[in-house]
Amino acid sequence: MKFINLKEESERCLLCKAPRCQPACPVNTEIPRIIKLYMDGRYLEAGEILFENNPMSAVCSLICPFEDQCMGSCIRGIKGEPIDFPKIENYISTKYLEKVEFLKGKNKNKKVAIVGSGPAGLTLAFILAKKGYGITIFEGHEKIGGVLRYGVPNFRLSNDILGLMEKKLIKLGVKFRFNEIIGNTTTVDDLLKDSYDAVFIGSGVWNARKLNIKGETLGHVSYAINYLKSPDS
Ligand code: SF4
């Protein structure tokens, strides 16, 4: 891993008026604005902007394909090293999540069931819980995160950040039901019968894609998604 001095890195940014990095980000992160706030010591303000734009900012800053997005488009990269914005973003977003006390919006008296606690489910849970909806997340595994936990190795994405998100969601009143696969014992109809006003299904894609070549069933072969679920086994 390459260590960088975040302050020096942010000072290298040209704070472009028409930044090439920003439109290259799938969620249009306001990169020069965030860097400027960070340089001014206003990192919590920067963290709030990042979170409100993308509640998964602390995660995306670790696992996005930066080379093809912000860093790959940075003007500094034409003749030298691009600005390592993901490292700056990760610092800001993680600090923000550690410090923030989210306020729950006025109770809407509406219940929403979220099936799956992967990135989509977690994002929606934050957005709706902050607006005052009653959220229950049904997760098929024993812990939150979905593909973030069971499909991305821990050295790339530490589970600590998922634990931090879980704590914040619990504080917002979100309830979790683990080891509960909707469609087996409990169905979507059961959820609607129990007066959930809406059901969001973000169950992910857990099935491996067959290559349809000879040898796929042999003992020493493993599909990538299955391997990533338990790389130590
Ligand atoms: S990160 Fe690069 S492209 Fe974006 S504002 Fe800074 S110097 Fe400009």
Side-chain angles (χ1 to χ4, degrees):
M1 184 190 283
K2 188 175 138 200
F3 290 94
I4 60 164
N5 180 314
L6 296 183
K7 187 166 176 296
E8 286 172 9
E9 190 65 3
S10 61
E11 283 166 357
R12 284 202 315 117
C13 175
L14 302 173
L15 303 176
C16 307
K17 290 275 180 290
R20 292 159 47 113
C21 53
Q22 187 167 327
C25 170
V27 292
N28 198 36
T29 300
E30 294 181 88
I31 293 173
R33 183 180 177 203
I34 297 298
I35 291 180
K36 179 75 173 70
L37 285 169
Y38 173 73
M39 287 163 72
D40 292 345
R42 294 157 67 188
Y43 70 92
L44 287 181
E45 210 176 309
E48 185 177 6
I49 293 167
L50 285 169
F51 185 89
E52 292 303 318
N53 184 53
N54 171 22
M56 291 295 108
S57 167
V59 166
C60 294
S61 55
L62 291 172
I63 60 173
C64 268
F66 327 114
E67 305 76 15
D68 299 327
Q69 297 173 350
C70 57
M71 289 182 74
S73 308
C74 173
I75 197 151
R76 276 284 199 190
I78 294 176
K79 289 193 176 165
E81 286 291 311
I83 302 300
D84 197 340
F85 177 70
K87 288 224 172 53
I88 299 170
E89 179 184 12
N90 187 256
Y91 174 80
I92 295 171
S93 293
T94 307
K95 277 268 169 268
Y96 176 73
L97 265 185
E98 284 168 359
K99 302 241 177 233
V100 69
E101 293 292 339
F102 290 122
L103 294 177
K104 195 169 163 63
K106 193 164 170 276
N107 190 347
K108 289 238 182 329
N109 284 319
K110 298 263 183 211
K111 291 195 297 179
V112 178
I114 294 180
V115 180
S117 67
L122 292 178
T123 299
L124 191 65
F126 273 118
I127 292 171
L128 294 184
K130 285 172 73 212
K131 285 182 190 289
Y133 289 89
I135 306 295
T136 302
I137 297 183
F138 294 83
E139 170 53 54
H141 292 90
E142 59 182 7
K143 291 183 174 165
I144 73 157
V147 75
L148 299 176
R149 182 184 295 273
Y150 297 103
V152 181
N154 200 24
F155 71 83
R156 186 88 200 275
L157 174 64
S158 162
N159 289 330
D160 294 351
I161 194 71
L162 298 173
L164 186 55
M165 286 185 176
E166 183 176 358
K167 274 191 203 145
K168 296 292 169 181
L169 287 169
I170 289 170
K171 275 202 165 178
L172 278 168
V174 173
K175 296 185 175 59
F176 289 91
R177 286 186 56 157
F178 292 108
N179 300 309
E180 184 107 16
I181 296 175
I182 299 301
N184 286 353
T185 309
T186 307
T187 64
V188 171
D189 284 344
D190 292 327
L191 297 175
L192 297 175
K193 227 184 285 167
D194 279 341
S195 342
Y196 283 94
D197 296 282
V199 177
F200 172 80
I201 299 176
S203 51
V205 184
W206 290 101
N207 292 340
R209 190 187 290 178
K210 274 173 71 172
L211 294 174
N212 286 317
I213 55 174
K214 192 168 163 45
E216 279 183 79
T217 63
L218 299 182
H220 58 284
V221 175
S222 182
Y223 289 115
I225 188 71
N226 298 341
Y227 171 75
L228 286 169
K229 273 188 235 170
S230 51
D232 298 329
S233 62

